[in-house]
Amino acid sequence: MRGAGAAGRGPGPIRLFRKLLAKTPLPLRGLRARLVTAFALIAVISALSTGTLAFREARTGVLQESQDTVIQRFRTSVDTAAGGLPVTPSRAQLQNAVGEVVSTNQAQSWQVLATYGNLRASNAPNNVFGLLGADLRRSVRTKRAAVFQRVNADGRPYLVVGLPVTSNGGEGKEAELSGVVMYLVVPQNTEQAYVKSMVNAIRHATLVALCLAVLMALLAASAVLRPVRALRQATRRMAEGHLDVRLAVNGSDELADLSRSFNDTAAALERSVAELRRLEAQARRFVADVSHELRTPLAAMTAVTEILDEGALRLDPETSEVLRLISEETNRLGSLVNDLMEISRFDAGVAELHLDEIDLAESIQRTLASRGWQSRVDTRLTAPDALRARVDPRRIDVVVANLVGNALRHGAPPVRLAVSMREEPPGFAWAVIEVTDRGSGITEEAMPHIFERFYKANTTRGRSESSGLGLAITAENVYLHGGRISAANLTAGGAAFTVELPLIREGTSDNAATDAW
């Protein structure tokens, strides 16, 4: 019972096949390799099974025919030679009978032994008749028919026949055993050679069938894989943005149906993407047009509010508060319009870099000083001229101002700004600007969308008065420099925004630095 239970818990054929497939190298798991293997196995199994059946039937027929022929000749020869033997023959008479049987069949390489009681007569050495088995000798004494047996000695096949000699009992009487037994030992070298030739023929046929199966498998795999490869290439081109790619449809099989389905899907996707692009272009054009049209009235409104601000102190408190609100909202509206104009430039692909080699630490200090943030931000900057980068100063000012302003508005003190340099990969240097705060951090739901346009993580950092474009503009400016930006939560609490800008080294080009990451 234990053995049966252990066997029952063992892995089945399917599980073993899966384990073997998992250990198979990847190139051998492909459709081509599996088709070739399947065709080869089917060919080998078919050839071997057919060859085995044909070999067995042919071998049986050859041996049976040879055996029947030998026994019939032997019986005829014995009847002729033993017809004149007396009831009690002498050894010389037995020898004469043996000689007559052998001379009648000289071309057959027969080895004959005649026995009567203890008398022996033969035309071959005694060791040859060691092939006579005890069962054959015992059977031939009690039967009136020939008894035969096939034996192998020293790797050679022999047919051994035992034939009892009967005496005529007279008219109306059954023939009786005379006591004389004739034995025949015949080598079957010819039959063995014929069987070997059949084995070789079957082996050659199996090899030919295997080669043909492999060739057919390769042809079938090529026919199957051709549309599959075309589908793979078309899918890659579609992933690259070539939505007009189509497949040639040939035939009416499953692969042709798959190609038709791909073409229908690609056509539907192309129409959908074209419509989305049209709507997106309209939306971008609308934003750009509205932003441009708003700039003129906003300029006038800003000028008016500045004049009103100058005289607000001479007005009553209620009117002064109304003027202050108008001034703040006008400034906010102006900032929003400027942000929308900046975004429209990125969308239109007309945003340009005006590069200049600057000291990053000095540029960051100017950004903080122009906005009065020196006392509110803990800076950890590099020494003067220790970290110089070829960047667009105005855009780097926007990046730093947006990140620090975001931390001051939505985070909690202390707000820290650190600048450092990192070598990655070898041969390239990166300027790293990191802004951290000790606020509540960024929620897990908001993290994937933190740099999206108009996204506001209200549940993360309280009510926001910004437009939701600051971090999106920051990211676009960083990407324009060939850099990268990321956001994360600190273990001790708060958020961290990291900007990495490629530094141009001597002997490297701008493109090389941009493509480094």
Side-chain angles (χ1 to χ4, degrees):
M1 294 297 291
R2 292 182 180 179
R9 292 190 297 270
I14 297 178
R15 187 177 300 176
L16 288 175
F17 176 76
R18 289 177 178 174
K19 288 184 177 179
L20 291 175
L21 185 61
K23 295 179 180 179
T24 304
L26 286 176
L28 299 181
R29 300 186 199 175
L31 182 60
R32 184 190 301 274
R34 283 185 280 179
L35 282 175
V36 170
T37 303
F39 272 71
L41 287 176
I42 292 174
V44 170
I45 293 173
S46 301
L48 288 179
S49 58
T50 304
T52 301
L53 292 175
F55 168 74
R56 187 174 63 181
E57 294 299 326
R59 179 176 180 274
T60 301
V62 168
L63 296 178
Q64 186 68 41
E65 182 181 0
S66 173
Q67 166 190 307
D68 294 343
T69 301
V70 169
I71 293 175
Q72 182 62 35
R73 288 181 179 179
F74 185 50
R75 180 182 288 111
T76 301
S77 300
V78 169
D79 289 344
T80 302
L85 288 175
V87 177
T88 305
S90 63
R91 185 178 184 283
Q93 290 171 331
L94 291 176
Q95 189 67 45
N96 290 335
V98 168
E100 186 175 348
V101 171
V102 173
S103 62
T104 305
N105 302 274
Q106 290 183 356
Q108 306 300 321
S109 301
W110 283 8
Q111 297 173 339
V112 182
L113 169 67
T115 64
Y116 179 77
N118 295 325
L119 297 178
R120 301 284 188 276
S122 69
N123 70 325
N126 292 332
N127 59 348
V128 174
F129 297 102
L131 301 176
L132 303 177
D135 294 338
L136 185 140
R137 292 196 301 269
R138 187 164 48 251
S139 297
V140 80
R141 295 193 191 100
T142 58
K143 294 183 179 181
R144 299 177 184 275
V147 179
F148 67 91
Q149 187 178 31
R150 296 190 189 95
V151 296
N152 284 296
D154 299 330
R156 299 178 64 186
Y158 293 90
L159 175 64
V160 179
V161 182
L163 182 65
V165 177
T166 57
S167 60
N168 191 355
E171 185 178 357
K173 293 184 179 180
E174 185 181 359
E176 297 179 352
L177 295 174
S178 66
V180 178
V181 179
M182 303 290 286
Y183 294 98
L184 172 65
V185 177
V186 182
Q188 293 189 305
N189 297 328
T190 303
E191 289 78 2
Q192 184 183 30
Y194 184 75
V195 170
K196 285 184 177 180
S197 65
M198 285 194 298
V199 172
N200 291 331
I202 292 173
R203 183 185 297 115
H204 293 157
T206 302
L207 291 177
V208 172
L210 179 59
C211 294
L212 291 176
V214 171
L215 179 60
M216 292 177 61
L218 291 176
L219 294 176
S222 298
V224 172
L225 291 178
R226 190 178 299 112
V228 173
R229 283 195 297 266
L231 178 61
R232 180 180 60 186
Q233 294 173 357
T235 305
R236 289 179 177 176
R237 286 182 55 81
M238 182 177 291
E240 295 171 357
H242 302 281
L243 300 181
D244 58 341
V245 63
R246 297 294 184 271
L247 293 175
V249 180
N250 298 316
S252 59
D253 55 5
E254 291 81 357
L255 291 174
D257 292 339
L258 179 61
S259 299
R260 293 190 189 94
S261 299
F262 174 85
N263 290 340
D264 295 340
T265 304
L269 181 61
E270 185 179 15
R271 290 192 297 269
S272 299
V273 171
E275 180 64 17
L276 289 174
R277 287 175 177 173
R278 185 183 66 82
L279 296 176
E280 184 181 9
Q282 288 182 350
R284 289 177 177 176
R285 187 164 54 251
F286 173 77
V287 171
D289 293 343
V290 169
S291 300
H292 180 74
E293 293 298 327
L294 285 176
R295 294 190 70 178
T296 301
L298 270 176
M301 292 173 60
T302 302
V304 171
T305 54
E306 288 178 355
I307 295 174
L308 292 176
D309 287 340
E310 293 177 357
L313 297 177
R314 296 190 297 271
L315 301 176
D316 58 90
E318 185 176 352
T319 305
S320 178
E321 180 65 18
V322 171
L323 290 176
R324 185 185 64 80
L325 291 176
I326 293 175
S327 178
E328 288 179 358
E329 294 304 321
T330 301
N331 290 333
R332 285 192 59 203
L333 183 58
S335 298
L336 176 59
V337 170
N338 290 332
D339 289 344
L340 289 174
M341 291 293 293
E342 187 72 7
I343 284 293
S344 65
R345 292 190 188 96
F346 286 118
D347 291 340
V350 296
E352 296 180 352
L353 286 175
H354 300 283
L355 299 178
D356 189 14
E357 186 174 345
I358 63 172
D359 182 358
L360 277 181
E362 181 182 352
S363 175
I364 290 172
Q365 286 178 342
R366 284 199 302 268
T367 299
L368 299 178
S370 64
R371 292 163 177 81
W373 291 342
Q374 300 98 319
S375 60
R376 302 176 60 187
V377 179
D378 180 14
T379 58
R380 299 179 182 180
L381 307 178
T382 56
D385 289 330
L387 182 57
R388 300 187 65 84
R390 186 171 176 78
V391 295
D392 187 330
R394 184 186 69 83
R395 296 188 182 278
I396 295 301
D397 176 78
V398 172
V399 169
V400 175
N402 283 346
L403 293 180
V404 174
N406 185 72
L408 291 173
R409 284 192 304 269
H410 306 297
V415 174
R416 292 189 173 89
L417 190 154
V419 178
S420 61
M421 185 178 67
R422 183 170 66 235
E423 296 280 347
E424 181 192 350
F428 292 93
W430 297 83
V432 181
I433 303 173
E434 187 176 31
V435 178
T436 61
D437 63 68
R438 291 296 182 179
S440 57
I442 306 170
T443 62
E444 188 174 329
E445 295 80 9
M447 186 66 74
H449 312 286
I450 200 67
F451 295 109
E452 292 181 1
R453 300 174 183 181
F454 300 106
Y455 182 80
K456 297 181 181 181
N458 293 331
T459 59
T460 304
R461 299 186 172 195
R463 183 180 181 275
S464 173
E465 298 180 355
S466 64
S467 63
L469 293 173
L471 291 179
I473 293 175
T474 300
E476 293 290 351
N477 281 316
V478 172
Y479 299 150
L480 198 60
H481 282 83
R484 51 197 177 193
I485 185 171
S486 61
N489 287 319
L490 298 175
T491 305
F497 287 85
T498 304
V499 173
E500 296 173 289
L501 300 173
L503 298 178
I504 307 302
R505 294 295 188 84
E506 294 183 2
T508 62
S509 64
D510 292 357
N511 293 334
T514 302
D515 297 338
W517 66 281

